Amino acid sequence: MLTYVYLRNEEDGLPTRPSQDYAKDKLAILKGYLGRFTTAMKDKSWRALNYIDLQAGPGKNSFKPSGDILLGSPLLALTTRFAFDNVFLVEMGTSEYDALVSRVEASNLGESVKHYNEDCNVAVDKIVENIKQNDKVYSPGIWPCLNLAFLDPEGLEVEWQTVEKLASLQRMDLIINFSTNGITRNAGQLVGHEEDTVIDRFFGTREWRSIYEETRRKGGSVVRRELIDFYLGRLKGMGYVKTKREEKPFKNQRNVQVYTMIFASKHDLGIQFWNGAVQEVNQPRLF
Ligand SMILES: C[S@@+](CC[C@H](N)C(=O)[O-])C[C@H]1O[C@@H](n2cnc3c(N)ncnc32)[C@H](O)[C@@H]1O
């Protein structure tokens, strides 16, 4: 099989991730952001442009009900016009990981890629250490690595500690798929637990519990809003003063909000790229 089939929005014989059509906008926004980011930064004096994907999946998604097959986040990052210097891909699932590696290797894009077949909360240490080592070497006139991380979990598997570790790098922008569904489905059951729960680890604190208790009677949309704002507030506490959330497109067929995309940066330019990518996706499409 010709290698380029692995990089196109089409069937290539390897496993795909089943997905719903409403999730296409998530990938379209990511693609728009990646294009803007790599184009604007290509001639700048960054030591390296790094992309980190903590839940890479198999590399392609098959959407329902349309039947479309589209590149997933790791392959979007590997097919930008101006390339990232380093791409760090984490995927815990064995079959997804195998498909991902086959696609990446078959496409001759492998040289800049490091893969990790493990929990993202473990792999993050190796990735951050790798980038810190690179940042350590002094080169006059060269800025530190510029890093972009995409966090795209199925639920609440990305622990706050992991976000903190990423944020400890000198330049790190974050695109986070915040699973509102994962929280609202589990919060009622976990809010009274004595031991730390998955939601406590997700927020890195138990403070969400009192917010949930105070707002739960006001309905799901208020709970979601308050908890997203709480998370954004925690990001701001780490210096991410430029934050945005995109809630509108990510509802399932029953009109239930499934997730919110959060963008967090310390710089205006990142917000400009983000707004551009979102506007492009939100524009009415004629066909
Ligand atoms: C929503 S999918 C990712 C889709 C992918 N970003 C894309 O755009 O095509 C989430 C993936 O995370 C993987 N996963 C689940 N828990 C994980 C963990 N703790 N660490 C790393 N990967 C995990 C799942 O196997 C799944 O493939």
XYZ file of all heavy atoms in Angstrom, residues 210-278:
574
model
N -17.635 21.350 47.238
C -18.550 22.365 47.797
C -19.228 23.147 46.674
O -20.400 23.508 46.783
C -17.820 23.285 48.784
O -16.653 23.745 48.186
N -18.510 23.370 45.561
C -19.149 24.069 44.425
C -20.304 23.213 43.910
O -21.405 23.709 43.643
C -18.119 24.320 43.302
C -17.009 25.218 43.800
C -18.793 24.907 42.057
C -15.829 25.353 42.862
N -20.052 21.932 43.822
C -21.089 21.025 43.326
C -22.292 21.022 44.284
O -23.448 21.123 43.858
C -20.507 19.620 43.172
C -21.505 18.624 42.671
C -21.917 18.627 41.342
C -22.070 17.680 43.537
C -22.861 17.724 40.881
C -23.005 16.771 43.087
C -23.399 16.796 41.758
O -24.338 15.896 41.314
N -22.011 20.921 45.567
C -23.114 20.891 46.552
C -23.939 22.171 46.483
O -25.158 22.142 46.596
C -22.555 20.724 47.983
C -21.844 19.421 48.244
C -22.784 18.226 48.429
O -23.924 18.287 47.939
O -22.349 17.237 49.029
N -23.253 23.287 46.281
C -23.970 24.574 46.266
C -24.810 24.766 45.006
O -25.781 25.508 45.018
C -22.968 25.736 46.364
C -22.503 26.000 47.792
C -21.179 26.769 47.810
O -20.913 27.522 46.855
O -20.422 26.595 48.788
N -24.373 24.133 43.894
C -25.042 24.440 42.625
C -25.928 23.315 42.094
O -26.691 23.536 41.167
C -23.990 24.755 41.527
O -23.043 23.701 41.496
C -23.303 26.064 41.776
N -25.837 22.134 42.661
C -26.497 20.987 42.030
C -28.003 21.188 41.884
O -28.622 20.714 40.942
C -26.190 19.684 42.780
C -26.733 19.623 44.189
C -26.115 18.519 45.002
N -26.332 17.194 44.472
C -25.929 16.068 45.070
N -25.268 16.127 46.228
N -26.154 14.906 44.552
N -28.627 21.904 42.844
C -30.083 22.112 42.750
C -30.453 23.082 41.621
O -31.580 23.156 41.201
C -30.629 22.624 44.089
C -31.402 21.522 44.821
C -31.803 21.871 46.219
N -30.820 21.391 47.183
C -30.006 22.170 47.873
N -30.032 23.462 47.733
N -29.149 21.653 48.728
N -29.502 23.838 41.140
C -29.789 24.814 40.076
C -29.752 24.175 38.682
O -29.995 24.840 37.687
C -28.792 25.968 40.136
C -28.897 26.741 41.428
C -27.918 27.889 41.459
C -27.936 28.548 42.817
N -26.783 29.388 43.042
N -29.368 22.915 38.624
C -29.414 22.217 37.328
C -28.044 22.009 36.714
O -27.062 22.683 37.077
N -28.008 21.088 35.746
C -26.752 20.639 35.137
C -25.972 21.760 34.486
O -24.745 21.803 34.577
N -26.664 22.713 33.829
C -25.911 23.741 33.103
C -25.176 24.674 34.078
O -24.067 25.125 33.777
C -26.812 24.530 32.158
O -27.814 25.152 32.888
N -25.794 24.923 35.237
C -25.115 25.788 36.220
C -23.912 25.048 36.821
O -22.821 25.612 36.962
C -26.098 26.228 37.345
C -25.393 27.087 38.378
C -27.295 26.954 36.754
N -24.116 23.772 37.118
C -23.010 22.979 37.673
C -21.833 22.977 36.695
O -20.683 23.223 37.073
C -23.472 21.515 37.949
C -22.284 20.647 38.320
C -24.527 21.475 39.024
N -22.150 22.732 35.427
C -21.082 22.676 34.410
C -20.325 23.992 34.348
O -19.105 24.040 34.372
C -21.681 22.391 33.027
C -21.937 20.950 32.751
C -22.160 20.701 31.280
N -23.340 21.343 30.773
C -24.555 20.823 30.790
N -24.768 19.643 31.300
N -25.574 21.488 30.300
N -21.111 25.076 34.253
C -20.491 26.392 34.135
C -19.568 26.684 35.322
O -18.442 27.112 35.170
C -21.614 27.450 34.040
C -21.177 28.897 34.062
C -20.188 29.233 32.969
N -20.590 28.748 31.658
C -21.401 29.400 30.812
N -21.886 30.555 31.146
N -21.685 28.897 29.637
N -20.075 26.408 36.530
C -19.285 26.714 37.735
C -18.013 25.865 37.787
O -16.945 26.365 38.150
C -20.126 26.442 38.993
C -21.284 27.412 39.168
C -20.848 28.807 39.557
O -19.833 28.934 40.270
O -21.515 29.785 39.140
N -18.128 24.604 37.390
C -16.950 23.736 37.497
C -15.927 24.019 36.395
O -14.718 23.930 36.620
C -17.363 22.261 37.525
C -18.058 21.844 38.826
C -18.505 20.390 38.781
C -17.159 22.065 40.048
N -16.414 24.399 35.216
C -15.463 24.804 34.170
C -14.738 26.073 34.632
O -13.522 26.199 34.502
C -16.177 25.070 32.829
C -16.791 23.785 32.278
C -15.210 25.645 31.796
C -17.803 24.020 31.166
N -15.514 27.020 35.174
C -14.889 28.261 35.646
C -13.887 27.995 36.767
O -12.845 28.646 36.852
C -15.961 29.255 36.116
C -16.654 29.918 34.933
O -16.144 29.792 33.801
O -17.710 30.539 35.128
N -14.216 27.039 37.592
C -13.293 26.683 38.674
C -11.970 26.167 38.087
O -10.876 26.563 38.511
C -13.947 25.624 39.574
C -13.051 25.128 40.660
C -12.533 25.993 41.625
C -12.696 23.778 40.736
C -11.685 25.532 42.626
C -11.852 23.316 41.729
C -11.346 24.190 42.670
N -12.089 25.327 37.069
C -10.894 24.766 36.410
C -10.098 25.884 35.734
O -8.867 25.959 35.853
C -11.336 23.719 35.389
C -10.259 22.788 34.903
C -9.910 21.653 35.625
C -9.604 23.016 33.696
C -8.938 20.771 35.159
C -8.630 22.138 33.224
C -8.300 21.020 33.971
O -7.333 20.152 33.503
N -10.822 26.768 35.044
C -10.130 27.898 34.399
C -9.409 28.745 35.447
O -8.300 29.231 35.220
C -11.132 28.770 33.636
C -11.721 28.179 32.348
C -12.757 29.119 31.752
C -10.626 27.914 31.326
N -10.059 28.923 36.585
C -9.444 29.697 37.672
C -8.153 29.047 38.142
O -7.169 29.711 38.435
N -8.143 27.717 38.181
C -6.922 27.013 38.606
C -5.819 27.173 37.567
O -4.646 27.288 37.898
C -7.218 25.532 38.872
C -8.124 25.422 40.043
C -8.233 24.173 40.817
N -7.164 23.230 41.001
C -6.259 23.248 41.976
N -6.242 24.266 42.830
N -5.364 22.289 42.089
N -6.220 27.179 36.298
C -5.220 27.419 35.243
C -4.669 28.837 35.379
O -3.457 29.066 35.252
C -5.851 27.225 33.862
C -6.139 25.782 33.436
C -7.029 25.739 32.197
C -4.826 25.034 33.163
N -5.562 29.787 35.642
C -5.094 31.174 35.795
C -4.118 31.288 36.954
O -3.147 32.046 36.897
C -6.285 32.108 35.999
C -7.037 32.338 34.696
C -8.164 33.346 34.859
C -8.864 33.506 33.509
N -10.198 34.054 33.593
N -4.361 30.499 37.987
C -3.470 30.491 39.155
C -2.053 30.069 38.786
O -1.096 30.366 39.496
N -1.902 29.358 37.665
C -0.553 28.948 37.220
C -0.017 29.908 36.169
O 0.951 29.597 35.473
C -0.605 27.547 36.604
C -0.953 26.492 37.619
S -0.623 24.816 37.007
C -1.646 24.738 35.575
N -0.679 31.045 36.008
C -0.173 32.035 35.052
C -0.863 31.993 33.705
O -0.524 32.781 32.812
N -1.831 31.093 33.535
C -2.563 31.031 32.255
C -3.680 32.080 32.275
O -4.849 31.756 32.466
C -3.118 29.619 32.017
C -2.034 28.679 31.601
C -1.382 27.898 32.539
C -1.620 28.607 30.285
C -0.341 27.061 32.173
C -0.577 27.777 29.904
C 0.050 27.018 30.850
O 1.086 26.197 30.482
N -3.268 33.311 32.062
C -4.232 34.409 32.171
C -5.085 34.531 30.914
O -6.129 35.175 30.916
C -3.515 35.735 32.468
C -3.066 35.766 33.921
C -2.327 35.925 31.541
N -4.646 33.962 29.817
C -5.418 34.012 28.568
C -6.124 32.669 28.407
O -5.495 31.676 28.028
C -4.492 34.239 27.362
C -3.499 35.357 27.549
C -4.178 36.672 27.414
C -3.210 37.801 27.731
N -3.868 39.095 27.780
N -7.374 32.632 28.748
C -8.098 31.366 28.628
C -9.402 31.570 27.870
O -9.974 32.661 27.889
C -8.434 30.772 30.015
O -9.245 31.710 30.709
C -7.203 30.487 30.821
N -9.840 30.522 27.199
C -11.097 30.577 26.450
C -11.765 29.223 26.567
O -11.085 28.200 26.686
C -10.829 30.808 24.955
C -10.317 32.153 24.596
C -11.404 33.170 24.547
C -11.922 33.385 23.141
N -12.940 34.419 23.036
N -13.056 29.203 26.497
C -13.742 27.911 26.403
C -14.716 27.940 25.243
O -15.285 28.975 24.923
C -14.470 27.594 27.701
C -15.465 28.655 28.050
C -16.355 28.222 29.188
N -17.207 29.351 29.519
C -17.524 29.697 30.726
N -17.071 29.035 31.743
N -18.325 30.704 30.928
N -14.880 26.803 24.620
C -15.798 26.697 23.481
C -16.789 25.598 23.790
O -16.459 24.430 23.781
C -15.039 26.356 22.194
C -13.960 27.334 21.826
C -14.481 28.744 21.634
O -15.661 28.919 21.279
O -13.702 29.690 21.874
N -18.020 25.987 24.068
C -18.992 24.984 24.495
C -19.976 24.619 23.408
O -20.485 23.516 23.369
C -19.768 25.510 25.700
C -18.861 25.757 26.873
C -19.584 26.333 28.055
O -20.739 25.953 28.284
O -18.990 27.175 28.732
N -20.240 25.553 22.545
C -21.393 25.413 21.662
C -21.421 24.147 20.795
O -22.422 23.442 20.788
C -21.457 26.661 20.770
C -22.625 26.719 19.855
C -22.659 28.053 19.161
C -23.289 27.979 17.816
N -22.385 27.430 16.791
N -20.365 23.840 20.095
C -20.510 22.757 19.121
C -20.541 21.355 19.713
O -20.856 20.427 19.003
C -19.249 22.896 18.251
C -18.544 24.099 18.732
C -19.046 24.416 20.079
N -20.203 21.215 20.965
C -19.922 19.868 21.428
C -21.067 19.264 22.226
O -20.940 18.934 23.391
C -18.611 19.859 22.198
C -17.533 20.497 21.378
C -16.975 21.690 21.755
C -17.153 19.926 20.188
C -16.026 22.299 20.966
C -16.208 20.515 19.388
C -15.643 21.720 19.783
N -22.213 19.168 21.541
C -23.371 18.522 22.155
C -23.681 17.282 21.340
O -23.488 17.263 20.129
C -24.561 19.467 22.113
C -24.334 20.711 22.950
C -25.546 21.576 22.964
C -25.340 22.744 23.909
N -26.497 23.601 23.998
N -24.168 16.246 22.018
C -24.484 15.043 21.259
C -25.871 15.156 20.616
O -26.535 16.191 20.729
C -24.335 13.794 22.138
C -25.352 13.763 23.260
O -26.332 14.497 23.258
N -25.107 12.904 24.221
N -26.318 14.079 19.981
C -27.584 14.139 19.223
C -28.765 14.445 20.130
O -29.786 14.939 19.680
C -27.849 12.804 18.507
C -26.869 12.497 17.405
C -25.647 11.759 17.926
O -25.304 11.829 19.112
N -24.967 11.060 17.043
N -28.651 14.137 21.426
C -29.768 14.422 22.343
C -29.631 15.811 22.962
O -30.271 16.135 23.944
C -29.814 13.354 23.434
C -30.428 12.049 22.901
C -30.309 10.930 23.892
N -28.956 10.386 23.898
C -28.198 10.275 24.975
N -28.633 10.648 26.142
N -26.974 9.798 24.881
N -28.720 16.618 22.370
C -28.501 17.993 22.807
C -27.915 18.093 24.221
O -28.086 19.086 24.917
C -29.810 18.794 22.721
C -29.505 20.251 22.407
O -28.502 20.544 21.747
N -30.331 21.164 22.889
N -27.252 17.021 24.648
C -26.583 17.055 25.950
C -25.141 17.472 25.715
O -24.471 16.921 24.833
C -26.603 15.655 26.612
C -25.789 15.647 27.896
C -28.030 15.219 26.865
N -24.687 18.452 26.495
C -23.308 18.871 26.316
C -22.365 17.777 26.792
O -22.508 17.271 27.903
C -23.041 20.151 27.094
C -21.673 20.697 26.755
C -21.346 21.918 27.561
O -22.143 22.812 27.666
N -20.171 21.930 28.139
N -21.424 17.403 25.951
C -20.545 16.285 26.277
C -19.198 16.801 26.792
O -18.672 16.326 27.769
C -20.325 15.415 25.024
C -19.435 14.234 25.340
C -21.665 14.931 24.485
N -18.677 17.775 26.092
C -17.427 18.362 26.573
C -17.296 19.801 26.105
O -18.055 20.279 25.259
C -16.193 17.560 26.146
C -16.112 17.183 24.691
C -15.732 18.107 23.734
C -16.379 15.892 24.273
C -15.628 17.743 22.401
C -16.290 15.522 22.944
C -15.912 16.460 22.012
O -15.812 16.112 20.692
N -16.330 20.437 26.688
C -16.016 21.821 26.367
C -14.548 21.854 25.998
O -13.752 21.168 26.638
C -16.227 22.683 27.629
O -17.604 22.737 27.905
C -15.690 24.081 27.473
N -14.221 22.600 24.978
C -12.791 22.732 24.681
C -12.257 23.965 25.386
O -12.844 25.052 25.277
C -12.575 22.867 23.183
C -12.417 21.525 22.518
S -12.212 21.733 20.775
C -10.456 21.478 20.590
N -11.167 23.782 26.058
C -10.547 24.896 26.781
C -9.204 25.200 26.132
O -8.440 24.290 25.811
C -10.338 24.514 28.263
C -11.696 24.501 28.983
C -9.370 25.455 28.941
C -11.598 24.104 30.443
N -8.962 26.475 25.929
C -7.639 26.878 25.449
C -6.995 27.722 26.540
O -7.648 28.605 27.119
C -7.750 27.694 24.160
C -6.423 28.208 23.709
C -5.485 27.338 23.185
C -6.092 29.540 23.861
C -4.226 27.799 22.823
C -4.832 30.003 23.496
C -3.906 29.121 22.968
N -5.741 27.482 26.824
C -5.049 28.252 27.861
C -3.647 28.614 27.413
O -2.883 27.751 26.967
C -4.980 27.444 29.157
N -3.357 29.894 27.516
C -2.037 30.381 27.125
C -1.648 31.506 28.084
O -2.463 31.979 28.868
C -2.125 30.907 25.682
O -0.874 31.413 25.278
N -0.405 31.907 27.985
C 0.026 33.055 28.784
C 0.204 34.270 27.888
O 0.667 35.309 28.336
C 1.330 32.720 29.523
C 1.138 31.566 30.498
C 2.418 31.170 31.216
C 2.122 29.995 32.138
N 3.308 29.424 32.764
N -0.140 34.094 26.607
C 0.206 35.132 25.624
C -0.965 35.435 24.692
O -1.733 34.546 24.331
C 1.423 34.683 24.814
C 2.583 34.391 25.716
N 3.455 35.357 26.134
C 2.953 33.249 26.325
C 4.331 34.818 26.966
N 4.050 33.543 27.100
N -1.025 36.699 24.250
C -2.123 37.127 23.380
C -2.144 36.394 22.039
O -3.196 36.143 21.484
C -2.008 38.631 23.093
C -2.438 39.432 24.304
O -3.397 39.010 24.964
O -1.787 40.461 24.588
N -0.960 36.112 21.517
C -0.911 35.535 20.177
C -1.641 34.185 20.121
O -2.363 33.894 19.159
C 0.555 35.360 19.749
C 0.809 35.252 18.259
C 0.191 36.416 17.507
C 2.313 35.203 17.994
N -1.470 33.404 21.169
C -2.151 32.105 21.233
C -3.653 32.303 21.142
O -4.354 31.576 20.434
N -4.157 33.291 21.860
C -5.607 33.574 21.840
C -6.037 33.989 20.435
O -7.105 33.597 19.967
C -5.944 34.671 22.875
C -5.878 34.079 24.279
C -7.300 35.300 22.616
C -7.032 33.160 24.657
N -5.207 34.743 19.765
C -5.549 35.132 18.375
C -5.660 33.897 17.478
O -6.592 33.769 16.700
C -4.451 36.012 17.802
C -4.605 37.476 18.118
C -3.429 38.242 17.512
O -2.953 37.959 16.423
N -2.936 39.212 18.261
N -4.717 32.999 17.594
C -4.765 31.766 16.783
C -6.043 30.990 17.109
O -6.715 30.466 16.230
C -3.574 30.839 17.068
C -2.226 31.430 16.773
C -1.102 31.005 17.468
C -2.063 32.386 15.784
C 0.148 31.521 17.199
C -0.808 32.902 15.502
C 0.288 32.480 16.221
N -6.311 30.905 18.398
C -7.481 30.138 18.840
C -8.762 30.741 18.273
O -9.596 30.041 17.695
C -7.522 30.102 20.370
C -8.678 29.318 20.890
C -9.833 29.801 21.429
C -8.811 27.888 20.908
N -10.671 28.786 21.772
C -10.068 27.589 21.468
C -7.997 26.839 20.503
C -10.537 26.287 21.631
C -8.459 25.540 20.665
C -9.706 25.276 21.217
N -8.915 32.055 18.449
C -10.131 32.719 17.954
C -10.281 32.508 16.451
O -11.376 32.263 15.955
C -10.102 34.216 18.261
C -10.299 34.484 19.742
O -10.782 33.614 20.457
N -9.923 35.663 20.203
N -9.172 32.606 15.732
C -9.218 32.415 14.282
C -9.689 31.009 13.931
O -10.533 30.814 13.051
N -9.147 30.030 14.636
C -9.510 28.635 14.347
C -10.983 28.389 14.664
O -11.691 27.726 13.902
C -8.619 27.691 15.158
N -11.461 28.956 15.762
C -12.866 28.739 16.148
C -13.799 29.446 15.169
O -14.807 28.874 14.729
C -13.101 29.245 17.600
C -14.586 29.251 17.939
C -12.336 28.382 18.578
